[in-house]
Structure formats: C-alpha cells, structure tokens
C-alpha cells in the first residue's frame, strides 16, 4: 500500500499484527521504552513524512496506554505524517460520558479532547459504550460494529427458538439488531445497580422458557451483569445460554463468575488483550482484525466503510 504506515502501541500488538497480516504489510518500526522512573518514551524508527499513518491502540487500563497513544500521535505529527488515524478498538473511559453526579469528570470527552490536541485527524473505533460518543470528536469518526463477526459465529451454531437478551435497557438496541439478524425474539433484563459494579436483576421482560438465549452486551467488566442475567434466565426455564460482548475487560472476579454461571459459551473479541489469568474454559475469542483491516484499507483509499456494517 503506497504511502501507508501502520503503527502499534503496546496495548494490543497481537491485534495490530493481525490487521497487518490481513493488509499484507509489516508494522512500522517503533521504539517504545521507559526511562528509569517509568516515564514513557516513543520514537518512530522509519520515515513517515507525507504518509497516511494508522496507530492501533485500545485505551484499556492501565492509563499509560492512553499516554503512549498520545505520544505516538504527537511523534507522528512532528514527523510530518500527512494524515493520522487513531485506530482505537476499545474506548477506555467511555462509561464516563456525562455529569450524572455532582463534581464528576466527563472522562470520555476529556479523552476525545486529548486525542485531538495530540493531532489525530480521524478516529476508527468499535462498539462505543454509547453511539453518540462520536459527537465528542470534531474530527471524522468511523464507528464499526463487531456484530457481523458475532453473527457469523452464531449462524454456525444450531440455536433453537432463539431469544436475544439485552442485559439492561441500554443494551436493547444492540440486542434488537442481533435478534433481527439471527431471526430471534427479544427479551430485556431490568437491571439495577445498588452500588458500583454490583448488578441486580429485578425482572425479565419477554418469554425465555424452553428457549436458547443469547445475552449481548458491549463489554464485560466484573461480569456481574451477564452472570446475574444468566441465572435469572435459567430460573425462568431458559435452555442453553450463550453470552457475547465486544470488549473483554474481564476484571476482578469475572473469570470465576462466568465459569460458575449457567453459560455454555462466552464469546468476546480481541479489542483488548486478554492475559492468560483472565481466560477460562468456556471463553471464545473472535478476532476483529479482518474487520479493522478492511476499514483501514477503505479509509486509506477513500472508499466508503458502510459495507462493513452488513
Ligand atoms: C453497562 O452499561 C455496560 O454495557 C455493561 O453491561 C457493564 O459495564 C458490565 O459491567 P459488569 O460486567 O461489571 O457487570
């Protein structure tokens, strides 16, 4: 690809390599190291003057991933890249998207401001926590869905009398999309959060008795939401229960909770690196590498990316 450079930070190099493999390119050489006190140092080791630069880095924890991304964007801008696209498969801080309590920060907006200040010209992301986060940016945003990757996966399974279940009202739109594509019915869990990271199922709206269920969410953090939802569905007579979520944060007790819950399989994507200690036997990781590689290719050649939504 002419005048094209693909860079990766350290947050998810395997995904960047997968994107590079699909594009048939090598990752651009970059030095990413630390000073003795932990300060991050980045240097782009190839000439990128006049190049169309894509930088792959999810902003999952630790927060150093954000700083590393900002430094890479800054280095690319100062090295005279013609255009910089930030490929951010997971938008960390996206849950802090409004002032819903006194004296809180809006982290998602702050991150958008920082990326633009550093010099990104475009952003490519997948399954933002809220679609309208696109509006936090003044540069163009291509917001992809992992749904085609999951739908292809579930079409291969013989799910019977499928009901797609939104584990909370916020996930209903996503679940409706899956139900339409997989010819399933829709159910919605009425979830409450009595405290942060504590999920409580109050009610399930929809018929699940004797049916296979697919719970869909944008992310699994501590897994309270999907584990409690699965238990509630089982109590109501659900047959096999599957879970899919784009972003596998899988923090704290997640692996333990998901292993103990009545779930056949938990499918996630590789937007975030999943270390071995967060994996468990029923976890299935699907790659968004090909999807992102197509989006990168189309962006580089100024083609529409809308075919990727099908
Ligand atoms: C909530 O709005 C999100 O879509 C997820 O349902 C939530 O962040 C998952 O958190 P946890 O896995 O800790 O219940």
């Amino acid at each position: 690809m002419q005048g094209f450079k693909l860079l990766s930070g350290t947050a998810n190099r395997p995904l960047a390599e997968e994107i590079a493999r699909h594009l048939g390119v090598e990752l651009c050489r970059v030095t990413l190291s630390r000073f003795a006190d932990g300060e991050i140092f980045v240097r782009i080791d190839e000439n990128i003057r006049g190049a169309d630069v894509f930088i792959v880095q999810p902003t999952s924890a630790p927060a150093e991933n954000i700083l590393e991304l900002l430094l890479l964007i800054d280095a690319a801008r100062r090295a005279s890249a013609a255009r910089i696209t930030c490929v951010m498969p997971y938008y960390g801080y996206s849950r802090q998207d409004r002032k819903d309590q006194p004296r809180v920060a809006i982290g998602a907006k702050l991150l958008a401001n920082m990326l633009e200040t550093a010099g990104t010209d475009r952003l490519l992301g997948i399954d933002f926590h809220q679609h309208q986060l696109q509006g936090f940016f003044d540069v163009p945003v291509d917001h992809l869905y992992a749904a085609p990757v999951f739908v292809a996966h579930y079409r291969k399974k013989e799910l019977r009398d499928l009901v797609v279940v939104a584990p909370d009202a916020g996930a209903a739109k996503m679940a409706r999309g899956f139900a339409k594509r997989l010819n399933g019915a829709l159910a919605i869990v009425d979830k409450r959060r009595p405290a942060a990271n504590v999920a409580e199922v109050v009610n399930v709206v929809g018929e699940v008795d004797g049916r296979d269920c697919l719970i869909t969410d944008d992310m699994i953090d501590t897994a309270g939401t999907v584990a409690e939802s699965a238990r509630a569905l089982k109590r109501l007579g659900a047959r096999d229960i599957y879970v899919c979520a784009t972003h596998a944060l899988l923090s704290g007790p997640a692996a333990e909770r998901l292993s103990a819950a009545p779930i056949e399989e938990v499918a996630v994507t590789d937007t975030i690196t999943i270390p071995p200690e967060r994996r468990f036997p029923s976890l299935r990781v699907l790659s968004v590498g090909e999807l992102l590689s197509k989006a990168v290719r189309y962006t580089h050649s100024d083609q529409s990316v809308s075919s990727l939504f099908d």
Side-chain angles (χ1 to χ4, degrees):
M1 288 162 78
Q2 277 293 92
F4 172 85
K5 293 284 180 189
L6 184 66
L7 279 69
S8 176
T10 55
N12 194 348
R13 197 172 160 98
L15 176 61
E17 284 168 352
E18 181 73 2
I19 297 169
R21 192 176 65 77
H22 283 287
L23 291 170
V25 300
E26 295 285 321
L27 285 176
C28 179
R29 279 180 290 113
V30 172
T31 297
L32 295 150
S33 59
R34 298 285 179 125
F35 289 96
D37 65 346
E39 193 172 307
I40 299 168
F41 171 78
V42 313
R43 186 182 62 220
I44 299 167
D45 294 323
E46 292 179 30
N47 176 18
I48 59 160
R49 205 171 271 264
D52 192 14
V53 170
F54 292 75
I55 305 174
V56 182
Q57 179 92 324
T59 53
S60 42
E64 268 91 344
N65 288 336
I66 296 174
L67 198 53
E68 194 182 89
L69 175 58
L70 296 171
L71 291 168
L72 281 168
I73 295 169
D74 188 66
R77 184 170 58 84
R78 292 175 193 280
S80 306
R83 183 175 69 171
I84 301 166
T85 301
C86 174
V87 182
M88 196 166 72
Y90 171 67
Y91 187 164
Y93 288 76
S94 60
R95 286 173 287 185
Q96 300 184 48
D97 60 358
R98 63 196 177 282
K99 208 171 157 202
D100 56 355
Q101 303 166 45
R103 301 174 295 283
V104 295
I106 304 183
K109 174 61 180 152
L110 178 62
L111 181 56
N113 287 349
M114 291 194 294
L115 292 170
E116 288 191 16
T117 301
T120 197
D121 295 301
R122 307 183 59 88
L123 191 104
L124 177 57
I126 306 182
D127 285 333
F128 286 173
H129 188 53
Q130 305 284 352
H131 294 189
Q132 55 269 35
L133 290 180
Q134 295 169 54
F136 281 10
F137 293 86
D138 286 325
V139 294
V141 175
D142 286 309
H143 178 247
L144 305 178
Y145 305 104
V149 176
F150 286 125
V151 168
H153 175 67
Y154 291 112
R155 279 195 182 138
K156 288 185 216 138
K157 293 186 186 288
E158 289 183 4
L159 302 176
R160 296 161 296 172
D161 299 326
L162 178 68
V163 185
V164 180
V165 182
D168 55 34
K173 196 172 171 199
M174 184 184 195
R176 201 178 305 122
F178 274 91
K180 195 174 150 202
R181 288 174 162 134
L182 293 167
N183 292 324
L186 178 69
I188 300 173
V189 172
D190 181 11
K191 177 185 90 174
R192 305 277 156 86
R193 280 217 186 271
N197 280 130
V198 179
E200 194 180 284
V201 172
V202 180
N203 194 12
V204 177
V205 182
E207 188 51 57
V208 298
D209 189 12
R211 309 181 74 160
D212 284 346
C213 291
L214 171 62
I215 304 172
T216 60
D217 210 347
D218 64 325
M219 65 175 79
I220 300 177
D221 189 354
T222 62
T225 300
V226 291
E228 285 309 306
S229 298
R231 278 202 190 89
L233 296 174
K234 220 31 176 189
R235 282 196 295 272
L236 292 169
R239 206 154 39 190
D240 292 346
I241 301 173
Y242 296 82
V243 169
C244 75
T246 309
H247 309 296
L249 286 96
L250 301 178
S251 33
E256 205 181 308
R257 282 179 175 171
L258 291 167
S259 302
I263 299 170
E264 300 298 312
E265 180 193 77
V266 178
V268 296
T269 78
D270 55 355
T271 56
I272 296 171
T273 309
I274 309 171
E277 65 276 13
R278 294 191 188 175
R279 295 181 183 243
F280 47 95
S282 61
L283 183 73
R284 178 80 198 270
V285 183
L286 308 175
S287 183
V288 290
E290 187 176 6
L291 178 75
L292 282 172
S293 74
K294 286 181 181 165
V296 166
R297 188 187 292 280
Y298 297 164
T299 304
H300 175 60
S301 55
D302 289 331
Q303 292 177 67
S304 164
V305 300
S306 37
S307 63
L308 302 178
F309 303 138
D310 298 333

